[in-house]
């Protein structure tokens, strides 16, 4: 019986004993540890991405036929100048009566631009005409007297042979005839002088009319009616020296200053591509006319004249121009399809003595590629191998960037077409 009672006591639940340990806390602790690990990994990735260098990228483009055949060997800046430009003035000093031009007006050669007051010139012409008329009248009087003297000399010569008049009378008639002949020659010379003076006076009247020396466009109007103009710079600010300035737009060309160190690259007849600062997307074909055989000591430059092969009203004097001196195109038989791709020069760096470029491999990692560099193409370079058209390369890669490194590319990808 005692054993049975002991067995029953063992089966009884002891309410005062502490409860067994629970596994819920263990699971909560495990979940917290996993969360901490995940947060640490995420924070590490965010921090490591924030430390990635910010870089600019550019697209690699294929080389076209034009790019392969006309590479730029030198770039320079200059201005559009007019080879034929004249400040038109009167040949005489006078008061302006009428000005018939305005800025921007097209004028033809010989077209009247202005007129001066012709009062003095008209008076000189009238005086010269009167003097010519008087000289001609004098000729007529001398001719009449000469005819009478010749007839008298002939009559006395006949009478002298018949010994009806003395020899002295005959000699006197001959002398009078010869004197009148001399007077006639003098009168004729005087008439010629008077005619020349009349022509000079008429030229003086014509000088009161100012005409365009050649066809062109008026770019400046310098005088107004009532002002005094003179071909000489006299009279201070009260005297004008010109009526206006005319420019022959067909004579426009470009003048650039090339550094002495690079003038050897420029040759007469060399093809040039000109770009106006006002129209940067407009490429104008041009050609080197001549290299001026003198240097500027102060700037160490040599002036080069360039002819524009295209005429357009948008090209005006004194415009700024950027020019690229190009290589001569190879003959058609010698031309070969261009090789490689066009890459910005800023994307090519040297690592361990080799030319390399960093191409984007995915969104934020780069791949170091060894490349073979060809000729210069302006601000770009020809890459024969190592890159393909469509690749994106890093511009000016940081010195510490390595193969597989992370970068943070900006949104403004440079187009290299």
């Amino acid at each position: 019986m005692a054993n049975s009672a002991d067995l029953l006591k063992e089966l009884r639940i002891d309410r005062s004993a502490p409860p067994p340990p629970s596994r819920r806390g263990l699971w909560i602790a495990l979940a917290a540890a996993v969360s901490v690990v995940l947060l640490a990994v995420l924070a590490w990735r965010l921090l490591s991405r924030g430390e990635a260098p910010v870089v600019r990228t550019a697209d690699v483009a294929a080389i076209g036929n034009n790019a392969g055949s006309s590479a730029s060997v030198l770039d320079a800046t200059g201005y559009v100048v007019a080879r034929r430009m004249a400040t038109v003035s009167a040949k005489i000093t006078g008061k302006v009566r009428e000005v018939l031009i305005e800025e921007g007006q097209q004028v033809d050669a010989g077209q009247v631009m202005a007129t001066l007051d012709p009062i003095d010139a008209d008076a000189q012409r009238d005086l010269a005409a009167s003097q010519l008329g008087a000289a001609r009248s004098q000729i007529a009087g001398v001719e009449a007297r000469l005819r009478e003297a010749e007839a008298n000399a002939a009559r006395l010569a006949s009478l002298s042979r018949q010994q009806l008049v003395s020899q002295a009378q005959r000699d006197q008639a001959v002398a009078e005839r010869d004197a009148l002949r001399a007077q006639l020659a003098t009168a004729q010379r005087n008439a010629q002088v008077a005619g020349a003076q009349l022509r000079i006076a008429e030229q003086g009247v014509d000088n009161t009319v100012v005409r365009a020396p050649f066809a062109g466009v008026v770019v400046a109007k310098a005088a107004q009616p009532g002002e005094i103009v003179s071909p000489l710079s006299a009279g201070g600010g009260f005297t004008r020296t010109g009526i206006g300035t005319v420019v022959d737009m067909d004579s426009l060309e470009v003048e650039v200053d090339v550094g002495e160190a690079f003038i050897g690259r420029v040759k007469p007849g060399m093809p040039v591509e000109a770009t106006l600062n006002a129209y940067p997307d407009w490429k104008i074909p041009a050609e080197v006319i001549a290299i001026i055989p003198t240097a500027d000591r102060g700037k160490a430059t040599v002036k080069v004249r360039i002819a524009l092969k295209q005429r357009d009203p948008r090209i005006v004097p004194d415009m700024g121009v950027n020019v690229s001196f190009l290589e001569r195109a190879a003959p058609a038989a010698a031309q070969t399809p261009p090789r490689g791709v066009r890459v910005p020069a800023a994307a090519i760096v040297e690592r361990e003595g080799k030319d390399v470029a960093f191409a984007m491999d995915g969104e934020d990692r780069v791949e170091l590629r060894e490349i073979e560099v060809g000729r210069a193409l302006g601000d770009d370079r020809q890459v024969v191998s190592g890159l393909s058209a469509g690749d994106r390369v890093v511009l000016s890669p940081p010195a510490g960037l390595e193969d597989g490194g992370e970068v943070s590319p900006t949104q403004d990808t440079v187009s290299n077409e």
Side-chain angles (χ1 to χ4, degrees), residues 141-165:
V142 173
E143 285 178 344
R145 291 167 54 193
L146 178 60
R147 286 193 296 271
E148 180 184 2
E150 288 178 343
N152 189 26
R155 183 171 53 255
L156 290 177
S158 177
L159 294 176
S160 176
R161 287 193 297 269
Q162 299 175 9
Q163 295 184 355
L164 297 177
V165 295

Side-chain angles (χ1 to χ4, degrees), residues 34-50:
V34 171
S35 300
V36 170
V37 172
L38 291 177
L39 289 175
V41 171
L42 180 60
W44 176 80
R45 289 185 60 86
L46 291 176
L47 290 176
S48 63
R49 182 174 180 84

Side-chain angles (χ1 to χ4, degrees), residues 58-78:
D59 295 329
V60 176
I63 298 178
N65 290 329
N66 292 337
S69 60
S70 58
S72 173
V73 298
L74 180 65
D75 296 332
T77 59

